[in-house]
Amino acid sequence: MSFFRAILYFLREASVNLLRSWKISVLAVATIAVSLFLGGFVLLLSLNGSRLIDRWKSEAKIVVYLAPGREPEDLPEIRDLAVRAPWTEEVEAVTTEEAARRFRRSFPSVEDLIEDWEQEPLPASFEIAFDLQRIREPEYGEWLQSLEGRPGVVAVDDDRDWVRQLETALRIVTGIGLLVGTILIGAAVFTIASVIRLTAHLYREEIAVMRLVGATEFFIRGPFYLEGLIQGTLGGLTALAALYLAYGGLSPEGARSFLGGILWSRFLPPIHQIGLVGLGAFAGLFGALISLRKEEI
C-alpha cells in the first residue's frame, strides 16, 4: 500500500473512531480548548501588557511637586538642577491653574471636586522628561534625593516606580495563568490518552486479525495517532476561535477600560495563532503516543 493510500486509510479509520465515541471525543476536544483558551488569554495579556508597559516606560517622567502657594517661577533652582542632569530631555513647568485645567480635561465627570476648595487643591510642579538609556546609577538616585531635599518641594514622583510595579504584577499573573494552563493541558493529554486507549481496547479483535495477516505496528497504530492529532487540532482551533470571538465581541466601552486596553489593543500575531493550534495538535498526538506506548493492542 502506498503512503498516500495509508494516510487515507488512517483518516477514514480515525474519523470512524471519533464518530463512534463522539461524546468522549467532544470532552477531549473541550478540555484541550479550555486549556488553550486560557493559555491564549494569558499570552494576549502578556504581549499587549508588555507592549503597553514599554510605551509607558518611554513616556515616563519625574514630577517634582511644589509646596502649597509656591509656583514654578518661585523656584528657578529646581529647573536648573533638572536641566543640568545628563539624562534630562525636557523640563516643563506646570502651574496650579494648568494642573486644575488638566484635571478637568481628564476627569470631566468629577471636576466639581476641585470647585469648592478655598485654595488650589492641585499643587504646581515641574515635569521632567528623561532618557532611560542615559540614566546612571547611583548618580540618578542621589539626584532624586537632592530634588526631594530642596526647600519648597513636597514630593518627587518617579513614574518608573509604578511601571515596575505593573511589570511585577504582569509577571505574577502570567506565571499563574501559565501554571494553570499547563495543568489543564496535562489533563487534556490524559483525557485524550484515555479515549484512545479505550478505542483501541474495543478494536482489539480486529487488531489481532491484522497482526495475523502481517500488518505492521505503524499501520495498526497510525489511525489512533491521527485520531489524537485531530482531537488536539480541533481543540486548538476551537480555542483560537473562542478567543477571537471574545476579542471581537468586546464593547467599545469595555475596550476603553484599563484591563480592556491591555487585552484588546491588538490580537495575537499570526505566528502565535499558529503556535496555539500547533500546541493543541502536539498535545493530542502526545496523548495518543503515551496511550499506546505500553499498551498491548
Side-chain angles (χ1 to χ4, degrees):
M1 179 181 292
S2 66
F3 178 77
F4 180 72
R5 292 182 62 186
I7 294 298
L8 290 179
Y9 167 76
F10 293 166
L11 183 61
R12 183 176 66 252
E13 292 298 312
S15 301
V16 171
N17 293 343
L18 289 171
L19 290 175
R20 286 182 178 177
S21 54
W22 67 269
K23 292 183 180 180
I24 303 178
S25 298
V26 167
L27 175 62
V29 170
T31 307
I32 283 279
V34 169
S35 59
L36 292 180
F37 178 84
L38 178 60
F41 180 86
V42 172
L43 183 60
L44 191 63
L45 173 66
S46 179
L47 291 176
N48 285 335
S50 298
R51 190 181 299 113
L52 188 60
I53 287 175
D54 289 340
R55 192 186 76 193
W56 285 341
K57 278 183 178 180
S58 66
E59 298 173 355
K61 294 182 179 181
I62 299 165
V63 183
V64 182
Y65 293 103
L66 306 183
R70 308 300 294 271
E71 293 292 340
E73 61 267 18
D74 301 331
L75 299 168
E77 65 274 12
I78 303 297
R79 175 187 287 274
D80 293 339
L81 182 60
V83 169
R84 288 198 302 268
W87 42 78
T88 298
E89 292 187 329
E90 183 183 2
V91 179
E92 180 181 1
V94 180
T95 63
T96 52
E97 292 80 3
E98 175 61 22
R101 281 194 295 270
R102 289 184 179 184
F103 182 86
R104 295 187 184 97
R105 185 168 59 248
S106 300
F107 308 101
S109 61
V110 293
E111 62 178 344
D112 295 340
L113 292 176
I114 63 173
E115 298 297 338
D116 300 331
W117 287 64
E118 296 181 359
Q119 297 180 344
E120 284 290 348
L122 302 174
S125 63
F126 287 101
E127 292 185 352
I128 306 169
F130 56 91
D131 184 358
L132 288 171
Q133 304 300 323
R134 287 188 285 173
I135 287 180
R136 300 191 304 269
E137 298 289 356
E139 291 88 345
Y140 179 78
E142 296 172 353
W143 176 72
L144 286 179
Q145 290 179 357
S146 67
L147 286 173
E148 292 175 348
R150 289 283 176 170
V153 175
V154 294
V156 176
D157 182 20
D158 186 354
D159 286 350
R160 296 191 310 162
D161 293 336
W162 64 266
V163 171
R164 280 192 289 262
Q165 293 174 5
L166 284 177
E167 283 184 309
T168 301
L170 182 63
R171 284 195 292 266
I172 292 174
V173 171
T174 301
I176 294 174
L178 291 178
L179 177 62
V180 174
T182 301
I183 293 173
L184 290 177
I185 281 285
V189 170
F190 176 78
T191 302
I192 290 176
S194 300
V195 170
I196 292 177
R197 186 178 293 112
L198 176 62
T199 304
H201 181 73
L202 294 175
Y203 284 88
R204 62 186 184 279
E205 295 182 357
E206 297 179 19
I207 292 172
V209 172
M210 294 175 66
R211 282 201 176 98
L212 288 175
V213 297
T216 64
E217 287 299 313
F218 177 74
F219 189 80
I220 294 173
R221 297 168 184 261
F224 300 109
Y225 294 154
L226 188 58
E227 181 182 348
L229 184 65
I230 292 173
Q231 289 177 340
T233 303
L234 288 176
L237 291 173
T238 303
L240 183 62
L243 194 64
Y244 186 79
L245 289 176
Y247 173 84
L250 184 71
S251 65
E253 292 76 13
R256 286 193 291 267
S257 66
F258 178 75
L259 181 59
I262 292 179
L263 288 176
W264 274 263
S265 61
R266 190 181 301 177
F267 193 62
L268 293 176
I271 187 64
H272 291 89
Q273 298 180 39
I274 295 173
L276 197 67
V277 177
L279 180 59
F282 174 78
L285 180 60
F286 183 70
L289 289 172
I290 64 175
S291 70
L292 302 177
R293 186 167 57 92
K294 296 181 179 180
E295 184 75 11
E296 279 296 330
I297 59 173

